[in-house]
């Protein structure tokens, strides 16, 4: 294992997982001397029953609860002062957020505001930004449908994308009671985003061994449990495993640099209604084929979390990279067998035009890097994965 000359890794997140994970909510808050949480959720996203399940965890705690379960589907800057006033007028001292996506973004931004009065002067542009300082406890009750971004230090306030390690939730709770029966497409979309983030973090030369350890766990959990989720085989247990994988992927993603699949898919998303995770899945095998030419040993190591130690050990070194790529294709085929909206095998199937593809490629033109991007896009355009010359 190669150790970068310099790297940084931070994961302050604690995870409570299991059939009674929510029962630990009052104790986790008490550890921070918090006894008046504000619970945030979107009733449309998670349903009234699951909001009630979280409330029931406090039935004998004696804690005072504030509840707002009508958060919108997208962050709304005008709502933040209203929530902050509710927080302060109710004497709240912590935040519990139930759900994923923009609901969690809103909770992160609210916690930033009520803890420090900080209004988002930090962003992910790479410029210097002031440290907002310690924030109040933020408890995340995870649900299916997320993509791992929930446990990162990223958040959108509806105007800009904020970035600070202080935004990372204090504790994440993964309980089967919260694994709602969501639309399969949404579950797969979030899981694919997390999976590609984990793969790219694993291959990031600047990331350290701890980041790769989280990515390794994420890949294994998602690849080995997501197909069972779609087959409805012990669905809640397998959803918990997949969500654990998404959480691990989020930790790895925040400690690494965004990879080419992330950047390309984000740009291509502007020209199609196809889910972002599906676009990233189209690009992934071609990125691995390109990376395999330059660092075949590193790409071959991805086989380990997918098949386990025994099969990895008996696979010839020169076959590990092509076998890894083939397994990803098989994984996507297994998902497509259960999905009504299929993961396309090529960008062409996503109905993206050559002009749109060239426009995205031109934004990434940086010498030799542009050559790599061009080959990845060319392969993804035709749906052909080149492994050997």
């Amino acid at each position: 294992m190669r150790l970068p000359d310099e790297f940084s890794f931070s994961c302050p997140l604690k995870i409570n997982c299991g059939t009674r994970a929510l029962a630990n909510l009052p104790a986790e808050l008490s550890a921070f001397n918090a006894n008046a949480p504000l619970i945030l959720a979107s009733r449309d996203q998670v349903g009234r029953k699951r909001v009630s399940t979280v409330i029931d965890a406090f039935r004998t705690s004696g804690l005072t609860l504030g509840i707002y379960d009508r958060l919108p589907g997208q962050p709304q800057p005008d709502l933040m002062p209203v929530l902050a006033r509710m927080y302060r007028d109710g004497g709240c001292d912590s935040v519990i957020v139930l759900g994923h996506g923009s609901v969690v973004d809103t909770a992160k931004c609210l916690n930033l505001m009520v803890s420090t009065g900080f209004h988002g002067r930090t962003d992910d542009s790479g410029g210097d930004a002031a440290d907002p300082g310690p924030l109040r406890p933020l408890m995340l009750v995870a649900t299916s449908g997320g993509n791992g971004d929930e446990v990162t230090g990223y958040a959108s306030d509806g105007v800009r994308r904020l970035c600070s390690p202080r935004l990372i939730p204090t504790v994440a709770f993964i309980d089967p009671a919260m694994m709602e029966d969501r639309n399969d497409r949404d579950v797969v979309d979030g899981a694919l985003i997390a999976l590609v983030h984990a793969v790219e973090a694993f291959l990031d030369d600047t990331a350290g061994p701890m980041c790769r350890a989280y990515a390794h766990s994420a890949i294994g959990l998602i690849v080995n449990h997501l197909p069972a989720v779609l087959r409805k085989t012990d669905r809640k247990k397998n959803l918990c495993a997949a969500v654990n994988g998404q959480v691990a992927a989020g930790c790895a993603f925040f400690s690494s640099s965004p990879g080419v699949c992330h950047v390309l898919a984000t740009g291509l998303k502007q020209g199609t209604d196809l889910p972002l995770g599906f676009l990233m899945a189209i690009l992934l095998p071609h990125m691995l084929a390109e990376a395999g030419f330059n660092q075949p040993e590193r790409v071959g190591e991805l086989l380990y979390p997918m098949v386990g130690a025994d099969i990895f050990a008996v696979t010839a070194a020169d076959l590990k990279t092509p076998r890894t790529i083939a397994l990803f294709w098989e994984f996507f085929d297994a998902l497509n067998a259960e999905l009504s909206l299929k993961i396309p095998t090529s960008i062409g199937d996503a109905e993206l035009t050559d002009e749109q593809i060239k426009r995205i490629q031109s934004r990434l033109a940086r010498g030799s890097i542009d050559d790599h991007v061009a080959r990845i896009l060319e392969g993804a355009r035709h749906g052909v994965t080149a492994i050997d010359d």
Side-chain angles (χ1 to χ4, degrees), residues 152-177:
T152 69
Y154 297 123
S156 172
D157 63 0
V159 177
R160 75 205 86 180
R161 185 164 166 85
L162 311 180
C163 176
S164 170
R166 303 286 191 180
L167 294 175
I168 297 173
T170 312
V171 184
F173 298 82
I174 305 173
D175 193 306

Side-chain angles (χ1 to χ4, degrees), residues 78-370:
D78 293 343
L79 181 61
M80 298 306 300
V82 176
L83 293 174
R85 191 179 311 116
M86 180 185 301
Y87 182 100
R88 296 188 178 105
D89 291 349
C92 297
D93 56 15
S94 52
V95 176
I96 298 172
V97 58
L98 167 58
H100 57 269
S102 63
V103 171
V104 180
D105 283 350
T106 298
K108 291 177 180 178
C109 293
L110 174 65
N111 197 38
L112 184 68
M113 180 180 292
V114 298
S115 298
T116 65
F118 200 78
H119 289 271
R121 287 168 290 165
T122 183
D123 57 51
D124 61 357
S125 62
D128 292 335
D131 180 359
L135 306 186
R136 294 176 184 177
L138 171 61
M139 307 291 168
L140 167 66
V141 179
T143 61
S144 56
N147 59 30
D149 202 54
E150 293 79 10
V151 300
T152 69
Y154 297 123
S156 172
D157 63 0
V159 177
R160 75 205 86 180
R161 185 164 166 85
L162 311 180
C163 176
S164 170
R166 303 286 191 180
L167 294 175
I168 297 173
T170 312
V171 184
F173 298 82
I174 305 173
D175 193 306
M178 294 294 107
M179 298 298 111
E180 70 270 22
D181 193 17
R182 292 187 58 81
N183 180 289
D184 284 346
R185 190 187 84 164
D186 294 340
V187 172
V188 172
D189 179 35
L192 289 175
I193 292 172
L195 175 62
V196 175
H197 283 167
V199 170
E200 295 198 306
F202 190 90
L203 297 176
D204 186 354
D205 286 331
T206 65
M210 278 65 75
C211 177
R212 294 187 68 208
Y214 274 80
H216 181 284
S217 296
I219 294 164
L221 286 166
I222 295 172
V223 168
N224 290 299
H225 290 275
L226 187 59
V229 169
L230 300 185
R231 292 193 295 266
K232 309 297 190 286
T233 304
D234 205 352
R235 185 174 172 90
K236 286 190 174 182
K237 181 178 180 179
N238 282 296
L239 271 172
C240 278
V243 170
N244 269 283
Q246 291 165 14
V247 168
C251 296
F253 176 64
F254 191 64
S255 296
S256 60
S257 302
V260 65
C261 288
H262 171 90
V263 175
L264 284 175
T266 301
L268 292 172
K269 182 69 181 75
Q270 300 172 17
T272 178
D273 292 330
L274 195 70
L276 178 63
F278 287 40
L279 283 170
M280 294 172 80
I282 296 172
L283 295 164
L284 180 61
H286 307 283
M287 181 276 287
L288 292 176
E290 178 66 20
F293 287 121
N294 302 305
Q295 45 181 349
E297 181 179 347
R298 177 70 62 86
V299 175
E301 289 173 356
L302 288 166
L303 185 65
Y304 192 144
M306 301 177 74
V307 300
D310 292 343
I311 296 177
F312 180 82
V314 299
T315 303
D318 60 341
L319 296 179
K320 286 176 178 175
T321 291
R323 183 59 183 144
T324 297
I325 296 172
L327 279 176
F328 275 113
W329 282 119
E330 292 174 17
F331 171 67
F332 298 147
D333 286 343
L335 299 182
N336 280 339
E338 308 294 335
L339 289 170
S340 54
L341 177 66
K342 311 297 184 183
I343 302 169
T345 58
S346 70
I347 293 177
D349 292 338
E351 299 182 353
L352 287 160
T353 66
D354 288 345
E355 182 179 350
Q356 290 171 322
I357 295 171
K358 290 178 181 178
R359 189 183 309 126
I360 298 303
Q361 183 178 343
S362 66
R363 296 175 186 171
L364 299 174
R366 289 177 293 176
S368 62
I369 294 178
D370 185 44

